[in-house]
Amino acid sequence: YKNFYLKMIDEISKVNFFLTNSRSTASELFSNLPIDEKNIFNISSGCDQRVFNQKPVNQDINSRDLPKKYILYCGAMDVRKNVRKLIIAYSLLSKEIKNEYKLVFVGKLTSLEVEQLIMWVKEFGINTDSILILGYVNDNELAEIYRRCSLFIMTSLHEGFGLPLIEAMNCGAPVVGSNITSIPEVIGMNEALFNPKDVKSISNVIYLALTNE
């Protein structure tokens, strides 16, 4: 990985100008590399609004046994995604909240990642019935899962943009996320942000989002 990134930096030095997906990425470019800020242009990002919108479609996902109320996480499980802290934060919620709102995971996970997830769930005393791992879903299914969720959450330590955030918002989902890198500029609401390194901060914002309209 180190060699790969060093090679990429060499390639980047030959580029005349840059289009970035967020102000955060733009800042990282000129702060960490010998690149003139004048050659960096933030154009942000977006999602396919033909799919990710608030209009329900005739998409049969009942076979996946979605709970009536749930907190949704969509993405990978690499370290920067901070999934372990999400599990701990969920464990800190009251018994009543956990009984009412399940934690649903969507995304292509390896068998080892699923085992790790279940191990964390057990480690922090969460009833396995409170967790649902759906795995990979297609975009139409994902849009409907966004529409039905009670809350979408992104606990990442680093994002270049955070595409699931804007997909979820386009589908009408309440969204909360980390207060670092690009996530604050995508969410645009301080009350919906938490410190991703502080499980109590994450848990408090989840509770607020679920109990205060």
Side-chain angles (χ1 to χ4, degrees):
Y1 277 113
K2 178 182 177 181
N3 290 335
F4 167 77
Y5 278 108
L6 288 175
K7 183 179 177 182
M8 289 299 295
I9 289 172
D10 287 339
E11 292 297 320
I12 282 172
S13 67
K14 303 171 187 175
V15 175
N16 294 320
F17 68 95
F18 300 82
L19 304 177
T20 69
N21 57 356
S22 66
R23 293 193 301 273
S24 176
T25 299
S27 176
E28 286 182 344
L29 267 179
F30 67 75
S31 297
N32 295 289
L33 297 175
I35 297 171
D36 190 336
E37 186 177 356
K38 295 177 182 177
N39 296 330
I40 302 172
F41 304 89
N42 170 35
I43 60 170
S44 195
S45 192
C47 63
D48 188 348
Q49 296 185 29
R50 294 169 298 179
V51 176
F52 298 102
N53 54 58
Q54 296 187 46
K55 183 180 179 182
V57 294
N58 294 323
Q59 182 68 39
D60 183 16
I61 58 171
N62 291 328
S63 60
R64 296 183 179 276
D65 297 322
L66 276 176
K68 186 175 181 181
K69 295 182 178 181
Y70 57 94
I71 302 162
L72 176 64
Y73 170 81
C74 173
M77 265 191 60
D78 48 290
V79 174
R80 72 183 174 92
K81 295 295 185 178
N82 206 28
V83 174
R84 185 173 183 271
K85 286 282 200 301
L86 170 58
I87 295 289
I88 300 172
Y90 180 78
S91 76
L92 297 177
L93 294 168
S94 69
K95 184 178 179 181
E96 291 74 22
I97 291 286
K98 284 181 286 190
N99 285 340
E100 188 173 2
Y101 298 92
K102 290 193 176 186
L103 184 55
V104 173
F105 290 87
V106 169
K108 189 175 182 180
L109 303 178
T110 67
S111 58
L112 285 176
E113 287 173 332
V114 171
E115 287 178 20
Q116 178 68 81
L117 198 56
I118 294 171
M119 192 181 301
W120 287 335
V121 167
K122 292 178 178 178
E123 179 183 353
F124 297 106
I126 301 170
N127 189 325
T128 52
D129 290 340
S130 296
I131 305 293
L132 180 62
I133 303 171
L134 294 181
Y136 171 79
V137 299
N138 64 45
D139 281 353
N140 286 325
E141 288 178 312
L142 178 57
E144 191 61 25
I145 292 169
Y146 283 139
R147 292 183 193 108
R148 296 187 187 188
C149 78
S150 304
L151 181 67
F152 177 80
I153 186 165
M154 179 173 278
T155 51
S156 298
L157 299 170
H158 188 281
E159 290 289 338
F161 180 77
L163 186 61
L165 291 168
I166 206 164
E167 290 175 345
M169 287 192 285
N170 266 295
C171 292
V175 168
V176 296
S178 304
N179 63 0
I180 53 177
T181 65
S182 63
I183 297 172
E185 66 187 91
V186 179
I187 292 180
M189 181 181 179
N190 288 335
E191 293 84 354
L193 303 175
F194 49 73
N195 177 355
K197 298 177 182 180
D198 181 350
V199 290
K200 288 184 179 178
S201 175
I202 301 171
S203 190
N204 288 342
V205 172
I206 292 173
Y207 175 80
L208 186 67
L210 294 176
T211 60
N212 187 324
E213 290 185 14

